């Protein structure tokens, strides 16, 4: 039963990855088009850049005051958090299934 719940959390992480694949590129295009200074900080190929992901997870985008950017970046942030938490929970449940009788 524990492994079933671990598999369910993997499914949740996959759902988060799907949402991330939709909203994060839209956010990056918006940043590139409207916020040149921020886009220069990320550089080309910012999709999996650790600095860009830190910027997203920290919620620094809210400091720009752009409501359109916030509307795109917030779902990307939630989906990234969902991926991390889903995979973490699945890993912990897998470890629990190995340890518990």
């Amino acid at each position: 039963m524990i492994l079933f719940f671990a598999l369910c959390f993997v499914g949740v992480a996959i759902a988060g990855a799907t949402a991330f694949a939709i909203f994060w590129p839209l956010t990056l295009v918006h940043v590139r088009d409207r916020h040149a200074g921020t886009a220069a900080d990320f550089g080309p190929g910012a999709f999996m850049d650790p600095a860009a992901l830190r910027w997203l997870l920290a919620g620094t985008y809210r400091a720009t005051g752009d409501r359109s950017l916030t509307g795109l970046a917030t779902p990307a942030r939630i989906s990234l958090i969902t991926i991390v938490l889903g995979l973490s929970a699945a890993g912990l449940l897998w470890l629990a299934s190995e340890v518990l009788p």
Side-chain angles (χ1 to χ4, degrees):
M1 190 67 165
I2 292 176
L3 288 178
F4 171 74
F5 287 124
L7 186 60
C8 287
F9 279 116
V10 170
V12 168
I14 290 171
T18 303
F20 186 75
I22 293 169
F23 285 103
W24 184 229
L26 292 173
T27 303
L28 290 174
V29 168
H30 183 83
V31 167
R32 182 193 67 202
D33 292 345
R34 306 254 173 114
H35 304 281
T38 306
D41 294 342
F42 297 156
F47 188 78
M48 292 304 289
D49 183 33
L53 294 175
R54 251 184 270 115
W55 175 82
L56 180 65
L57 279 176
T60 312
Y61 56 86
R62 287 182 247 146
T64 62
D66 185 356
R67 293 182 60 170
S68 299
L69 177 60
T70 301
L72 288 170
T74 300
R77 180 179 186 215
I78 292 170
S79 62
L80 185 59
I81 292 170
T82 302
I83 294 167
V84 170
L85 292 179
L87 291 178
S88 299
L92 288 174
L93 286 174
W94 174 76
L95 285 175
S97 72
E98 292 291 323
V99 173
L100 298 175

